[in-house]
Amino acid sequence: MRRATASFGGVVDIRSLVVSLILGAIFAAAGIFIVARWPIMEPVTLGMMEGDAKRGAYLARSAGCVACHTDVKMGGAAMAGGAPLNTPFGRFVPPNLTPDPVHGIGDWTLDQFAVAVRQGVRTDGKAYYPAFTYEFYNQFTDQDMADLWTAFRTVPPVSVPTARHDLNFPFNLRWGLKLWRARYMTQSETTPVMAQSDAWNRGQQLVNGASHCGACHTKRGLFGGLDANAKFAGNTNLPGGSKAPSISTEDLLSRGWTVANMAYALRTGITPDGDVLGGSMAEVIAQGTGMLTEGDREAIATYLLTPSGQISVGLPTNAAASSMAGMEGMAGMESGGN
Amino acid sequence: MKRSITIGAIIVSWLGAAALAHSGATGVVLERMNGMSAMKKVMGELAPMMRGEVPYDVAAAQKGAATIMAHAGGGMVKLFPEEAIPATSYAVPALWDRWDDFSDLADLLESQAFGLAMAIPNGLKAPQPPSPPHDMEAMNNMADMVGMTDAVAQPSQDLTVAQLMGVEPTADAHTSATVLPEERESSSLDYTMMAAPAAFERVSQTCAACHSQFRRGS
């Protein structure tokens, strides 16, 4: 056996060290191989389910699909790819989702679309990066998916390729996302609560689901996972440099927010003290919440402003009708006309 | 002697307090912050009025519109000379890199504040255009319009699939701050036929467009 004397005076067995290193490398490679092969897709069979384009388009708008996948500032075509997002993990580019068969998703099926949106899994079985906020969409119903799919296919196809993401090591190792998902992905809390008002339940459905407020208003850890102990506590490190304030109920109430002025702000950006929201929130309002129904804006506000454990007060009568129209998809709800 | 020292001390401390209120800003930075604060005060006072939560006060609203006009346009732009950005300032370098876009928004704000002044006498609802007598079709159309209180599309208008998917612009997009100046059609707007809240929200849309591009933070 060859031995060597290390600087601290101990004796190191070179051969055993080399064998250990080789074995370690083999185990690591095997581990990576296993993770990379680990199937994460759950099959769906929506087949040729019929969807409603108007419901789907409204959902696409409220879920941020249109805002993210359209480069509005540069006058880009609808859904043909969004402005790049510069994040601490690197640069993400929202892809072309038009029905173009080569550069868009024109060659997809409804099933593949549902897997992508609700599960965050690509057609090749690999995971999407959570810059695509699929972790908030896992409670979309089959009908929601059919509606979205129908709406997406009303958009003119655009034959423009999407630039690749440009990510920092180790975030560019896509197989690592499977570990990330196992650690950080949870079910969205959108299940209606019987004791709460329709507005509260609709607000919960939007805030924790489609509108994915927590994606910006909850800070992320070192590996980009949302901090479950700091839900809605704010994030000072958003892509583009703006800051998302706390939207915890306590903080909102202390800053003078009410259902009326918050619903108003989600359309106009005007805060209780007369400031006008800028940064990324201005875009959220212009391209998202500003295009929702008044009832849905009030629902979001109702949910955010009701302290945990308290029962929310119902909406004023004249707003209830428009709120109901937005909740057609909820089980057991009648859709009221205006 | 003592009295003048006292008065001087009061003035200096008031000035100091104003500077401290804006985190130690001085000079043009303080001036423009004060201008923004004045406009913020107006927006904060008028918003509940426009929501119908407090009594509608035409005189106060007109005064507010005039305040915004005074701090917009050339009055705003001259307070942003090209120089090293002090740490106290909320302005970002993009403001000077895209000077034409910034000054366009300042001018738009001035003209929209003027438009607001014109719309304020209309109150919370747009004036109804007169319909010819005994015109049943027109009367039926008017009946269909119950709930619509603005000649220009309501902020919460029912949007089409194409508008929701971003394929077509919304009704008010072509006159708003969100489109480039060369694409904007301001001449088609008739503020005298607009409800005051709609005119007010055009102002806030311009504030938002500028803040999102040229103000640090949120």
Side-chain angles (χ1 to χ4, degrees):
Chain A
M1 259 184 312
R2 289 175 61 191
R3 289 172 183 263
T5 306
S7 58
F8 51 82
V11 174
V12 173
D13 181 339
I14 291 282
R15 184 172 149 180
S16 297
L17 180 65
V18 168
V19 166
S20 303
L21 283 172
I22 290 173
L23 279 176
I26 291 171
F27 279 125
I32 291 170
F33 181 81
I34 288 166
V35 168
R37 290 284 194 183
W38 175 13
I40 50 172
M41 186 196 88
E42 289 169 26
V44 302
T45 48
L46 302 184
M48 303 292 287
M49 191 172 175
E50 270 195 41
D52 180 285
K54 184 72 184 282
R55 280 192 83 249
Y58 187 82
L59 182 53
R61 182 58 73 168
S62 59
C65 315
V66 182
C68 196
H69 288 275
T70 306
D71 196 345
V72 176
K73 283 206 177 77
M74 300 299 285
M79 306 298 288
L85 283 172
N86 292 314
T87 74
F89 314 100
R91 185 179 217 230
F92 293 97
V93 185
N96 179 344
L97 298 185
T98 70
D100 185 82
V102 175
H103 297 298
I105 58 173
D107 60 343
W108 286 22
T109 63
L110 168 56
D111 289 343
Q112 289 173 317
F113 182 68
V115 166
V117 172
R118 287 192 298 201
Q119 300 177 32
V121 179
R122 302 185 342 172
T123 53
D124 62 6
K126 296 183 182 175
Y128 282 111
Y129 283 96
F132 169 29
T133 47
Y134 57 83
E135 57 187 317
F136 294 87
Y137 302 151
N138 50 46
Q139 297 304 299
F140 285 359
T141 63
D142 290 350
Q143 188 61 60
D144 288 337
M145 297 316 308
D147 294 340
L148 269 176
W149 184 234
T150 304
F152 270 52
R153 287 180 300 148
T154 66
V155 173
V158 176
S159 181
V160 167
T162 305
R164 298 179 70 82
H165 299 328
D166 181 12
L167 304 178
N168 311 326
F169 182 83
F171 307 106
N172 56 348
L173 303 173
R174 198 179 276 268
W175 56 263
L177 283 171
K178 296 184 182 179
L179 302 173
W180 186 95
R181 290 157 61 98
R183 167 68 180 85
Y184 291 113
M185 266 177 62
T186 56
Q187 298 280 315
S188 298
E189 285 172 40
T190 58
T191 309
V193 174
M194 283 296 290
Q196 292 287 7
S197 66
D198 295 341
W200 188 97
N201 279 314
R202 176 57 175 168
Q204 181 192 228
Q205 187 183 39
L206 285 169
V207 170
N208 290 343
S211 300
H212 60 283
C213 308
C216 283
H217 285 278
T218 301
K219 72 178 200 285
R220 295 180 183 268
L222 198 61
F223 295 104
L226 290 168
D227 187 344
N229 296 321
K231 186 181 176 190
F232 296 158
N235 184 345
T236 54
N237 198 12
L238 293 181
S242 58
K243 299 178 193 310
S246 163
I247 54 169
S248 73
T249 306
E250 199 179 84
D251 287 339
L252 289 172
L253 291 171
S254 73
R255 299 202 302 263
W257 289 101
T258 64
V259 171
N261 67 29
M262 178 173 285
Y264 187 70
L266 291 172
R267 188 178 82 229
T268 65
I270 302 172
T271 68
D273 65 354
D275 194 0
V276 180
L277 295 168
S280 302
M281 194 62 195
E283 189 191 332
V284 168
I285 291 167
Q287 298 299 327
T289 59
M291 296 171 86
L292 300 184
T293 62
E294 194 62 24
D296 276 351
R297 283 188 286 269
E298 289 178 348
I300 289 172
T302 301
Y303 174 72
L304 287 176
L305 291 169
T306 304
S308 177
Q310 279 192 28
I311 302 302
S312 70
V313 178
L315 288 174
T317 326
N318 59 355
S322 57
S323 157
M324 294 285 281
M327 285 193 280
E328 284 154 21
M330 286 180 70
M333 301 290 306
E334 277 179 14
S335 62
N338 280 340
Chain B
M1 177 69 173
K2 254 195 185 167
R3 192 167 159 200
S4 57
I5 290 173
T6 308
I7 291 170
I10 289 169
I11 291 170
V12 167
S13 60
W14 175 76
L15 285 171
L20 271 178
H22 283 118
S23 309
T26 57
V28 286
V29 175
L30 181 60
E31 262 194 83
R32 65 199 190 209
M33 282 178 171
N34 288 338
M36 295 295 172
S37 293
M39 290 194 285
K40 176 169 126 172
K41 188 161 180 276
V42 166
M43 299 301 278
E45 282 167 3
L46 295 192
M49 221 184 278
M50 298 297 163
R51 289 198 299 269
E53 290 171 7
V54 303
Y56 192 82
D57 182 338
V58 171
Q62 293 283 29
K63 193 167 166 222
T67 299
I68 296 175
M69 276 184 68
H71 290 286
M76 178 185 290
V77 157
K78 75 175 190 235
L79 296 176
F80 288 85
E82 187 150 17
E83 59 184 14
I85 306 173
T88 50
S89 172
Y90 284 90
V92 296
L95 189 151
W96 288 272
D97 294 341
R98 291 169 34 221
W99 180 258
D100 288 345
D101 291 345
F102 168 64
S103 60
D104 163 68
L105 288 172
D107 290 341
L108 181 63
L109 183 64
E110 189 179 21
S111 66
Q112 286 175 334
F114 181 68
L116 173 60
M118 283 197 279
I120 280 166
N122 294 332
L124 300 184
K125 292 193 193 308
Q128 288 292 344
S131 63
H134 307 302
D135 183 338
M136 291 309 294
E137 198 191 348
M139 288 172 72
N140 286 337
N141 289 341
M142 295 281 279
D144 288 340
M145 283 166 63
V146 166
M148 284 180 64
T149 57
D150 198 334
V152 180
Q154 271 294 354
S156 297
Q157 68 260 32
D158 192 26
L159 298 170
T160 63
V161 169
Q163 288 170 330
L164 288 165
M165 294 305 294
V167 176
E168 283 173 12
T170 56
D172 59 354
H174 63 287
T175 56
S176 78
T178 52
V179 298
L180 297 169
E182 53 268 27
E183 292 166 18
R184 205 177 296 132
E185 298 170 20
S186 304
S187 57
S188 63
L189 277 179
D190 184 358
Y191 284 97
T192 61
M193 295 300 287
M194 200 183 284
F200 183 65
E201 288 174 32
R202 285 173 194 284
V203 168
S204 69
Q205 204 175 48
T206 302
C207 302
C210 196
H211 290 179
S212 70
Q213 296 173 71
F214 304 125
R215 182 174 78 172
R216 180 164 51 89
S218 63

